[in-house]
Amino acid sequence: MRKKNRRHLARRISGVEALEPRQLMAVDVTVPLTNLTVSAGSAAETIDLSQAFNLADVTGTVVRFDTNVAGGSFYAELFDQAGAGRTRTTPRTVANFLEYVTNDLYTDTIVHRSVPRFIVQGGGFSVPTATGSLPAAITTFAPVVNEPGNTNVRGTMAMAKLGGDPNSATNQWFVNLDNNAANLDAQNGGFTVFARVLGDGMDVVDAMAALPTTNLGGAFTDLPVVGSMNAGGITPENFLRIAAVSPVEKLVYAVTSSDPSIAAATVREDGFLQLDFAASGAGTATITVRASSVFDPADFTEEQFVATLLANPPVEPPVEPPVEPPVEPPVEPPVTPPVTPPVTPPVTPPVIAVGADVGGLPWVTVLDATSGDIISKFLAFHPANRGGVAVALGDVDGDGIYEVIAASGAGTRSVVKFFELDGAHMPAYRTLPFDKSYLGGLNIASGDFDGNRVDDLAVVSARGAGLAKIYLIDPAAADPVPDQASITIRQAFPGSIGGTTVAAADIGTFTGGRLVDAAVADGRDELVLGSGVGIPPLVRIYDVSVAAPVVVRTLRPLSASYLGGLNVSSGRYNADAIDDIIVTGGRRSGSAVEVHSGRVAADEVLLRRAAFASLASLPTYAAGLDIDGDGRIDSLVATQGGGAGSGVRLLGGTTGLQSAFSSLSGGFRVAATRQARLQSAG
């Protein structure tokens, strides 16, 4: 049973001049909800609502702008995916914009320019804290390459840039108040249109544009003013404020049950519908699910299905079999059982897992590391999740076979999922590591942090000052991944807002935070954290065997002047018995790959190489791969983010490029098997 609200949609269509062309946005049912029948006392049922509903005309990431004008907020769709209202996608511009969003740099900024029937512009300056003070410029990242082609019509958003330099856009954005195509589509190489305002959001933007302006000189000659300025000059309350810019899910859900005593229905924070059934009794309950667009609750679709509860069957008394007189069995000579050779536990073949980078569908691909053949390819999350997929490989159930771990990227509720190598989902292994308000994306690693020969999960925030959590996995437990982290580090890099990357490495024997033996691995991984964007490159390695983790090693890779962030992994590169640290850089790092000795007190770079000479400006990811199972890295697996078409490269320890897998293209994150450790664990 289905119900869709059309009244409000019809009203909105009358204003087609808002966007060229204006699209009818309606919530669709992609997978109808079906009736179900269970017995009383059955375990709860869950349904992934993101698979059941979709807003087909909104394909890109959706962000919310919170303002201090009438109407409060407006929503915009970013052009990271093909869809309505655009001629081309703008993946680099969107990734650049989201970098400011996920690092909270747009929080408490101002709209500093308003020109009637032209534009409103913001993103460049923070709200001052004192009366009479001028706004200060926010932190900026490196300029982004221009991506023209979409038309600057009313309701679209574009990036501002310097005159005479098409590739100079950084942080400032503007909303077109009118059709500015004739001017802006051709000027300065064309202004990159990377988003469109959704729903009735232009009502809020028009309220911004209607504010009076004042001239404070410099960048503030057309400064919009909220309220009345006093004699002492402009106050913080007089600025047109952007309180926050946040990625949001494009659909919101509500659910009701006609009889909660039969089946109680709730929508969980992760977007799953959960049905809890009565322990006894029988009956039916009609479940109604409403899916609404986040930017216009009046646009919705409803689905209904019936949950039937069956009474438990009566318990019959046991039936005693007839008693027969005892029969003496014939006496046989003793039989010697055949000797069975010992069974060796299965060992995962060397594999590589790659996860999509920002802007792509959330694919995870598992490759045979020796041939490059695809073992499996699956969507780890709903197709609407385009913030990238961080991946790790680990044996989390203790069967000697690796599993794939996938973590969500920016723009969606943080979640970590687990899969078999063939792509089969492992629903028991799942966690929501951070608060529901956190949408900044995750980085993950797998390692044995407690020495029990089962891999655990390390999760870090992709923005902020370095929040890290370790979840000790117990495959024998009903909930193998606990709700609460066993180990937490709150600020690995104080003062930073650029997030953290993570790896696991066994770099020696430690007791109580003290080094016992730098040359002998103790079978318990240490936690490796790499700094993010905005601070000089820094790697900190923690002994997490103590209640308060202790930094036991610090590395300063690449160049002190480089501020583009690090990616970290590990593996045994040289002939000693401990793991070494693999470091790569983010944007404009020259695709550098460095391998640093894992020995405490050693300061030795074992390898330094550029992985992609032709695409050196893009982020690089690398992992160590042991193909022959001798415990040492045979190859470095290298990939690139940012939409690169380089595929997966294997770099030899001394021979440079070994091979490239052309079966994959596009940017992605990478993980590889630590083969030898699993073999020895058998």
Side-chain angles (χ1 to χ4, degrees):
M1 187 181 302
R2 186 171 305 158
K3 183 167 59 179
K4 186 180 289 286
N5 185 355
R6 300 282 187 186
R7 176 192 57 80
H8 190 73
L9 290 173
R11 180 181 64 80
R12 276 191 10 223
I13 294 170
S14 65
V16 294
E17 73 277 1
L19 288 175
E20 298 179 7
R22 181 66 168 175
Q23 298 292 319
L24 173 64
M25 299 172 188
V27 183
D28 300 318
V29 176
T30 52
V31 180
L33 302 177
T34 58
N35 299 335
L36 58 89
T37 301
V38 300
S39 298
S42 294
E45 292 275 352
T46 58
I47 300 170
D48 187 354
L49 296 179
S50 67
Q51 303 291 333
F53 300 93
N54 190 31
L55 190 59
D57 290 320
V58 181
T59 55
T61 301
V62 177
V63 294
R64 184 183 68 238
F65 291 75
D66 297 320
T67 79
N68 62 338
V69 299
S73 302
F74 69 92
Y75 296 83
E77 178 196 8
L78 307 182
F79 292 170
D80 48 354
Q81 302 300 319
R86 75 219 67 179
T87 301
R88 61 167 295 181
T89 60
T90 56
R92 295 180 180 179
T93 305
V94 170
N96 174 75
F97 178 83
L98 288 175
E99 197 164 9
Y100 290 94
V101 171
T102 58
N103 285 288
D104 288 328
L105 293 176
Y106 288 142
T107 299
D108 285 331
T109 55
I110 68 168
V111 173
H112 67 275
R113 187 185 180 205
S114 176
V115 182
R117 298 179 299 280
F118 183 42
I119 65 164
V120 292
Q121 182 172 334
F125 303 91
S126 59
V127 179
T129 58
T131 296
S133 297
L134 291 178
I138 71 170
T139 299
T140 59
F141 302 128
V144 65
V145 175
N146 199 35
E147 295 176 302
N150 296 316
T151 303
N152 284 267
V153 296
R154 173 174 162 83
T156 60
M157 297 184 64
M159 297 302 295
K161 52 191 176 180
L162 301 175
D165 188 353
N167 301 315
S168 59
T170 54
N171 57 323
Q172 294 190 32
W173 49 263
F174 61 88
V175 182
N176 286 292
L177 300 174
D178 207 341
N179 188 340
N180 299 316
N183 176 13
L184 300 183
D185 286 1
Q187 184 188 137
N188 197 10
F191 284 80
T192 297
V193 171
F194 71 98
R196 61 172 178 165
V197 178
L198 294 172
D200 297 327
M202 285 304 292
D203 292 348
V204 178
V205 178
D206 288 338
M208 295 178 175
L211 292 172
T213 61
T214 189
N215 184 352
L216 298 183
F220 313 113
T221 57
D222 299 293
L223 181 71
V225 177
V226 177
S228 300
M229 296 173 54
N230 60 33
I234 193 167
T235 68
E237 289 73 26
N238 292 138
F239 289 97
L240 175 49
R241 183 185 301 242
I242 303 294
V245 182
S246 309
V248 295
E249 297 289 347
K250 63 182 180 179
L251 294 177
V252 294
Y253 305 102
V255 61
T256 58
S257 171
S258 66
D259 192 346
S261 68
I262 295 293
T266 55
V267 178
R268 302 189 327 201
E269 293 179 354
D270 58 1
F272 277 70
L273 168 64
Q274 180 168 317
L275 295 175
D276 294 285
F277 304 102
S280 60
T284 62
T286 299
I287 311 300
T288 303
V289 182
R290 173 175 289 196
S292 310
S293 68
V294 69
F295 53 87
D296 196 341
D299 293 345
F300 66 84
T301 290
E302 287 185 349
E303 277 277 283
Q304 290 185 333
F305 66 97
V306 176
T308 300
L309 188 70
L310 303 178
N312 290 317
V315 178
E316 301 289 342
V319 177
E320 298 290 338
V323 179
E324 300 286 346
V327 177
E328 296 293 332
V331 178
E332 300 285 347
V335 178
T336 302
V339 177
T340 302
V343 178
T344 303
V347 176
T348 303
V351 299
I352 300 165
V354 295
D357 203 42
V358 174
L361 286 168
W363 288 111
V364 172
T365 307
V366 181
L367 301 170
D368 184 317
T370 58
S371 65
D373 294 338
I374 294 178
I375 297 173
S376 65
K377 184 174 182 179
F378 55 91
L379 288 171
F381 304 100
H382 188 273
N385 297 337
R386 305 299 180 93
V389 182
V391 291
L393 288 162
D395 179 17
V396 298
D397 56 7
D399 65 353
I401 300 176
Y402 274 95
E403 285 78 44
V404 180
I405 311 171
S408 59
T412 183
R413 173 81 161 91
S414 61
V415 60
V416 181
K417 293 183 174 182
F418 295 73
F419 303 85
E420 304 285 3
L421 290 181
D422 62 2
H425 185 213
M426 303 168 64
Y429 290 78
R430 187 176 188 276
T431 188
L432 302 168
F434 297 145
D435 183 82
K436 66 179 180 180
S437 63
Y438 176 74
L439 303 176
L442 305 174
N443 291 311
I444 56 172
S446 179
D448 185 3
F449 295 104
D450 54 3
N452 68 346
R453 297 186 179 263
V454 174
D455 281 321
D456 307 303
L457 171 68
V459 184
V460 299
S461 59
R463 70 175 186 183
L467 175 59
K469 295 184 177 183
I470 293 177
Y471 295 83
L472 299 178
I473 295 176
D474 180 5
D479 186 10
V481 186
D483 294 331
Q484 300 297 321
S486 301
I487 301 162
T488 299
I489 299 170
R490 301 205 174 275
Q491 287 192 323
F493 305 100
S496 170
I497 59 173
T500 311
T501 55
V502 62
D506 190 349
I507 65 166
T509 302
F510 296 86
T511 301
R514 294 185 302 105
L515 177 66
V516 177
D517 195 327
V520 177
D522 60 5
R524 190 181 62 216
D525 282 317
E526 282 69 57
L527 183 70
V528 183
L529 299 181
S531 60
V533 175
I535 65 172
L538 187 64
V539 176
R540 289 196 168 113
I541 305 177
Y542 291 80
D543 175 14
V544 295
S545 66
V546 290
V550 177
V551 177
V552 294
R553 181 84 196 279
T554 300
L555 302 174
R556 301 184 184 278
L558 305 183
S559 166
S561 62
Y562 175 69
L563 305 179
L566 303 177
N567 300 299
V568 293
S569 60
S570 71
R572 286 175 55 194
Y573 181 82
N574 57 10
D576 62 25
I578 64 172
D579 288 334
D580 302 300
I581 310 302
I582 304 167
V583 180
T584 59
R587 290 185 180 181
R588 293 170 176 81
S589 65
S591 76
V593 179
E594 291 185 354
V595 181
H596 291 250
S597 171
R599 279 183 177 265
V600 176
D603 189 15
E604 182 181 3
V605 179
L606 305 176
L607 176 72
R608 181 180 287 113
R609 173 172 297 149
F612 300 91
S614 61
L615 298 167
S617 65
L618 299 177
T620 302
Y621 305 96
L625 176 65
D626 177 17
I627 294 178
D628 59 12
D630 66 352
R632 293 182 59 186
I633 293 174
D634 301 298
S635 302
L636 293 171
V637 184
T639 64
Q640 284 194 297
S646 55
V648 178
R649 288 191 166 194
L650 299 186
L651 306 176
T654 59
T655 59
L657 178 65
Q658 293 179 323
S659 59
F661 299 155
S662 59
S663 57
L664 291 178
S665 63
F668 31 70
R669 325 288 180 88
V670 65
T673 50
R674 297 167 68 186
Q675 184 73 6
R677 186 175 62 78
L678 270 190
Q679 288 182 332
S680 65

